[in-house]
Amino acid sequence: MNSVPADFTGTASTTLATSACFHCNEALPSNPALAELDGAERAFCCDGCAAAAAWIRDARLDDYYRLRSAPAARVATDDSDLALWDREDILAEHARAVPGGRELTLLTNGMRCAACAWLIDRAIAREPGVLEVSANAVTGRIRIAWDPARIRLSTALRRLQSLGYRPWLATGDAGERMRRRERNRWLLRLGIAGLGAMQAMMFAEALYLDTRGTMSLAMRDFLRWITFLVSTPVVFYAGWPFLSGCWRELRHRSLGMDTLITTSVLLAYVASVVETIRGGSQVWYDAAVMFVFLLLLARMLEQRARNTASAQVDALARARPALALRERTDGTREHVPLAALQAGDIVCIASGEHVPADGSLLDHHATFAEALLTGESHGIGKTAGEPIYAGTICGDRPARIRVTATGQATRLSQLARLAEQAQAHRPPLARTADRIATWFVLAMLAAAVIVFFAWRSHDPSRALEVTLSLLAISCPCALSLAVPAALASANGTLAKLGMLPVGADALDRLAGVDHVVFDKTGTLGDGSPMIDDVATFDGVDPDTALRIARALEHGSTHPLARAFHDPAIDKTAASDVTTHRGKGIEGVVDGRRWRIGQAAFACAGNDDGAIWLGDGEHAAARFAIRESERGDAREALAALRRLGIDLHLSSGDSQAAVERLATRLDIGDAHARQSPEDKLAFVRHLQASGSNVAMVGDGLNDAPVLAGADVSIAVGEGAALAQRSADLVLASPALMRIPAAIALARRTRRIIGENFAWAIGYNLLALPLAAMGMVTPWIAALGMSLSSLAVTLNALRLTRVRA
């Protein structure tokens, strides 16, 4: 066995640090496991790593240690239940039949580099009955085909787990297989087009270099027929996406870029075939195949941008585990499909596993990674009673949750729907570009006819060549790609920032924002209000006041209601509960009608910023609420000011509380005790002066003003109604993502402008040159294709995330 370098750079001359495990490079305990490998005693952090290294040595796969560029995952010694992989209901849903057996795709989070995939392929392939194994270190997916008559799937997976790669069921696999097949078809088309273009250009060069006409007719015809054979599969197989697209456009009576592409390619191909048969003076196979190849390349780059935008939806779909470990009433546990989970069930989640449903934490403390839902890269600590969301990953200790929502009701599913809606929307700017492209195609077809007859009367031998050059160079691909390529890239980057566009044209409207109005509670505030002091009146004791307040506030989605939510305390039930927007809550507790909220509403008193409990006329208690500012609020506001944006604070809280926060955050324009109508009126006032206003809010009271602002952003933890009224949803309350999103929107608008300018300028320069016969067909095809590539590559600049 080769020695393992300490930094895993693949250089065998460096020895591993004695303080680290030979296999996984984790720190060694005080009494490490020891084993003799390669004639030397090696230290391991656990028996699992020692056993894995020994098996790798005995299987003569120790090149793994030389090839790897990252340390292996630690080998867990817990005995996971792999028998569930043999259950027929699981296999029926996730496996598919292949010749000789079955095939299944699974996930593992232990593949760190290509050497891991190399090891997995060879280790599992040695198990009798395994037909084929393919591991992908980039996606973390393993495809296994096996013969059920010779081996159980769990047996093969036990070998996988013994090497430190824990298997998970890959949900959404059908969609993944479809995308993989589609990608492979495009790669095959591109490969055929590239090979054909090279061959056609090679043969065409021989014909072009015969400037003195010394080549024999037999050799000339031979080269033309060979080029015909090379070009035919390029035009009709590699170019099929354009041919089928042209047919769709003609069928729907909506001419577009595929119509002009197909016209140019088929004209060049058919004219070349005719000239080959009749022994004409010139053929243009090279222009046709180069056209197809370069446009396929541009189309694939555009598809890459779209895939970046859809990556969030794909990731959200894959975050759903296929099974959940449910705890029975007698304390035993069972694996069940997600469809069997119901609200109230207790689910156990192992370290590193995805949470199967929304719920509340039952344990004292646990950590969950919420990067997929919120974009937050660090684990989030949770305490008993706090919400846990489906799709998050349990941290370094197991956890138990009580299920509150399953299936389509989970926050994971809601975010997936929002992301899908954002992708499906086609903004007016893109539709306008399509309409312009349609008229452009009609104009160019008419111009081609005019140019053909003009050259027919001037120089008949060049009429077809010039017409072909005009059609090839004038293709409106750059114009049609200017908007969708940029928007696809921008939407993908927004998803990486943890912000999902929901409203139509949200990104475009966000770019024009010059004023931002913030709510206080749950937005600039940290969303965790606390009761700072309780004062009671008329003989009501504090415990009774709190009990009544908790009963009234139970189920309320208002951010301040969180101060009264305490899962550890048994709440008294309230009946006939009514929410008075902007004022408070009214309901019956212990047979008596109570009100909680502003002083004027609860007890006909004067507002002092606290929350009051009363019967509408007399006060029973006064609750002083304290809320801290969010940790990144100051930094986010400073970033917005650097973007030239004016900031405002509009809150329903008391004057004193609003002024304190505005002073701490240096917000000069702050408005307190604002009802929903007051907030909307303030936004309308700013809009009347010509300002473009963005509203950032959280909670039911913000829904009207969110709907009335030019563009609105709802914090993802806010009430569902507020999110439905918003144009963008911030998946986590990380306020620094707001200036990042505005900067991205402005870059998107600038790049769309650059793309339009390039497309228009290119056509204004290229069309006269082509019409005057100064451009050959292959140069025209090259120029148009490079123009499309330039637009797409410019749009892909938006995929770079800027903090």
Side-chain angles (χ1 to χ4, degrees), residues 577-601:
V577 177
T578 304
T579 299
H580 298 267
R581 196 173 63 184
K583 297 179 180 179
I585 298 174
E586 182 178 8
V588 177
V589 180
D590 295 337
R592 183 178 175 184
R593 182 164 293 277
W594 294 94
R595 290 183 175 186
I596 187 170
Q598 295 182 12
F601 170 75

Side-chain angles (χ1 to χ4, degrees), residues 248-580:
R248 282 193 303 272
E249 290 174 354
L250 293 175
R251 192 174 58 204
H252 295 144
R253 299 180 181 180
S254 175
L255 301 183
M257 61 179 179
D258 282 346
T259 301
L260 208 51
I261 291 172
T262 300
T263 302
S264 303
V265 171
L266 290 182
L267 180 61
Y269 176 79
V270 173
S272 299
V273 172
V274 171
E275 291 295 288
T276 300
I277 294 174
R278 62 188 290 266
S281 61
Q282 196 170 0
V283 292
W284 302 277
Y285 292 116
D286 54 329
V289 295
M290 182 182 295
F291 207 21
V292 171
F293 170 66
L294 292 174
L295 284 173
L296 275 176
L297 184 60
R299 185 83 44 109
M300 287 193 69
L301 286 173
E302 181 197 2
Q303 192 62 39
R304 175 190 166 190
R306 295 184 186 278
N307 290 340
T308 301
S310 63
Q312 182 76 357
V313 176
D314 297 341
L316 290 170
R318 290 195 296 269
R320 299 178 177 93
L323 297 170
L325 185 59
R326 183 170 62 187
E327 186 176 291
R328 298 188 182 100
T329 55
D330 60 0
T332 60
R333 299 174 178 180
E334 61 176 342
H335 282 96
V336 297
L338 294 194
L341 288 180
Q342 296 179 352
D345 286 348
I346 296 177
V347 172
C348 305
I349 306 139
S351 174
E353 285 189 351
H354 284 94
V355 178
D358 287 357
S360 57
L361 185 64
L362 296 178
D363 299 326
H364 179 67
H365 182 270
T367 302
F368 292 85
E370 298 183 347
L372 183 61
L373 271 66
T374 67
E376 180 59 55
S377 58
H378 303 290
I380 307 297
K382 302 280 188 175
T383 56
E386 287 197 75
I388 309 297
Y389 298 114
T392 58
I393 300 174
C394 187
D396 54 3
R397 66 172 67 181
R400 295 164 66 247
I401 67 169
R402 187 178 301 278
V403 175
T404 57
T406 62
Q408 295 301 309
T410 62
R411 189 163 184 244
L412 177 73
S413 296
Q414 293 170 6
L415 288 176
R417 284 196 298 272
L418 292 177
E420 288 171 353
Q421 291 170 11
Q423 291 179 42
H425 174 69
R426 190 164 178 80
L429 190 59
R431 295 195 295 269
T432 300
D434 286 344
R435 285 195 296 271
I436 293 173
T438 297
W439 286 105
F440 183 86
V441 170
L442 288 171
M444 289 315 306
L445 291 175
V449 173
I450 296 172
V451 167
F452 175 80
F453 284 106
W455 275 90
R456 186 79 175 172
S457 62
H458 172 67
D459 185 355
S461 64
R462 296 199 60 201
L464 184 60
E465 176 189 348
V466 173
T467 303
L468 181 59
S469 298
L470 181 68
L471 288 173
I473 209 167
S474 65
C475 187
C477 297
L479 188 63
S480 295
L481 291 173
V483 178
L487 291 180
S489 300
N491 282 334
T493 305
L494 269 182
K496 293 178 185 176
L497 290 173
M499 184 173 287
L500 297 174
V502 180
D505 318 317
L507 197 63
D508 184 56
R509 286 182 282 127
L510 188 65
V513 164
D514 51 19
H515 287 256
V516 176
V517 179
F518 284 94
D519 181 37
K520 172 183 172 290
T521 304
T523 305
L524 290 178
D526 62 3
S528 300
M530 301 177 63
I531 299 175
D532 201 30
D533 181 61
V534 180
T536 58
F537 311 97
D538 292 340
V540 178
D541 64 273
D543 290 339
T544 301
L546 280 171
R547 183 175 61 83
I548 296 171
R550 290 191 176 106
L552 292 170
E553 296 282 7
H554 180 61
S556 172
T557 57
H558 192 282
L560 288 180
R562 298 173 187 172
F564 297 92
H565 294 171
D566 190 345
I569 298 177
D570 184 23
K571 305 179 185 68
T572 302
S575 60
D576 194 21
V577 177
T578 304
T579 299
H580 298 267

